[in-house]
């Protein structure tokens, strides 16, 4: 399924961020793979090497933009680090009364060109919310990037392809048809992720 020499995969696996087993996802479905982003947040040196790769990709693919934008809170560290490496400004969006928005202090993003950086793409839900919040600020979305695309490249956001360091076509099964349940493998419910992305 994977190329074991892939440097991104090796960094994720060495930091225990990419786990193989039998996991119950927040959706209730079961999966063989689980991406635990907290393992990266708590290892800045590993995150630094991963964001080097992401920043190089953005530098190659997006010629001109002013801001990196990430949704709070999980992606702030990686977006901030990417902005630092690329010499750009950084802003984050957050939910205010359920709606994704920017603090008034980020007035400078109005009318700018921005690249969105997020940790994981699963359904595209939170990325679509960030795009909507940027549209309200008349921001031109120059690119959308994630570390891990769990849709395997299948889900565009706002009609734009989403760039990723690692595209995993992860199958998720309803419990009654899960092949790992049928084999009687014990299931793990990872507890660290509390939002759907
Ligand atoms: Zn199962």
């Amino acid at each position: 399924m994977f190329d074991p020499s892939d440097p991104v995969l090796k960094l994720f696996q060495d930091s225990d961020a990419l786990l193989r087993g039998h996991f119950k996802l927040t959706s209730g479905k079961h999966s063989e793979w689980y991406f635990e982003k907290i393992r990266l947040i708590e290892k800045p040196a590993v995150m630094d090497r991963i964001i080097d790769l992401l920043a190089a990709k953005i530098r190659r693919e997006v010629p001109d933009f002013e801001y990196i934008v990430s949704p709070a809170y999980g992606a702030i560290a990686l977006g901030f680090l990417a902005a630092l490496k690329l010499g750009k400004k950084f802003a984050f969006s957050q939910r205010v009364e359920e709606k994704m928005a920017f603090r008034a202090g980020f007035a400078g993003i109005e009318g700018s060109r921005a690249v969105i950086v997020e940790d994981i793409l699963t359904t595209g839900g939170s990325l679509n919310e960030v795009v909507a919040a940027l549209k309200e600020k008349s921001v031109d979305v120059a690119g959308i990037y994630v570390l891990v695309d769990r849709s395997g490249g299948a889900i565009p956001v706002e009609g734009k392809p989403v760039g990723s360091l690692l595209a995993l076509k992860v199958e998720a099964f309803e419990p009654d048809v899960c092949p790992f349940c049928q084999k009687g493998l014990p299931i793990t419910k990872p507890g660290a992720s509390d939002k759907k992305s």
Side-chain angles (χ1 to χ4, degrees):
M1 179 176 184
F2 297 126
D3 172 4
S5 66
D6 184 324
V8 178
L9 187 61
K10 188 160 173 22
L11 282 168
F12 284 148
Q13 288 198 304
D14 287 353
S15 62
D16 295 324
L18 185 64
L19 305 172
R20 188 174 196 175
H22 181 199
F23 301 99
K24 184 174 181 181
L25 306 177
T26 45
S27 64
K29 291 183 178 178
H30 295 187
S31 169
E32 183 181 12
W33 293 91
Y34 188 76
F35 184 72
E36 179 51 278
K37 62 193 177 190
I38 300 294
R39 295 287 85 76
L40 297 182
I41 299 281
E42 71 183 8
K43 297 186 183 81
V46 176
M47 180 74 95
D48 184 53
R49 291 167 64 195
I50 289 172
I51 300 301
D52 270 340
L53 299 172
L54 183 70
K57 185 175 173 66
I58 294 172
R59 194 179 287 118
R60 277 197 308 274
E61 296 178 1
V62 189
D64 178 38
F65 64 99
E66 294 149 271
Y67 274 86
I68 295 277
V69 170
S70 298
Y73 288 91
I76 289 178
L78 50 135
F80 186 89
L81 198 48
L84 177 66
K85 290 175 187 292
L86 290 162
K88 306 297 180 183
K89 293 178 183 171
F90 175 72
F92 64 86
S93 61
Q94 62 192 123
R95 285 214 174 75
V96 180
E97 292 169 357
E98 306 275 299
K99 186 173 181 290
M100 194 70 89
F102 292 90
R103 285 171 186 245
F106 286 127
I109 66 167
E110 187 91 41
S112 69
R113 243 169 100 73
V115 169
I116 302 171
V117 169
E118 166 69 303
D119 41 33
I120 307 169
L121 170 64
T122 303
T123 64
S126 62
L127 280 171
N128 277 307
E129 288 180 68
V130 177
V131 170
L134 287 170
K135 275 187 178 168
E136 287 189 4
K137 298 284 183 190
S138 305
V139 174
D140 181 15
V141 178
I144 303 173
Y145 289 84
V146 296
L147 297 185
V148 178
D149 178 356
R150 290 190 53 123
S151 81
I155 297 181
V157 174
E158 288 284 308
K160 296 172 193 287
V162 175
S164 67
L165 286 184
L166 187 64
L168 289 174
K169 186 75 193 91
V170 177
E171 275 193 281
F173 304 94
E174 295 295 346
D176 56 346
V177 296
C178 173
F180 310 105
C181 283
Q182 283 163 16
K183 285 183 201 162
L185 296 178
I187 193 162
T188 309
K189 188 176 188 317
S193 180
D194 57 4
K195 71 159 197 179
K196 296 186 183 106
S197 48

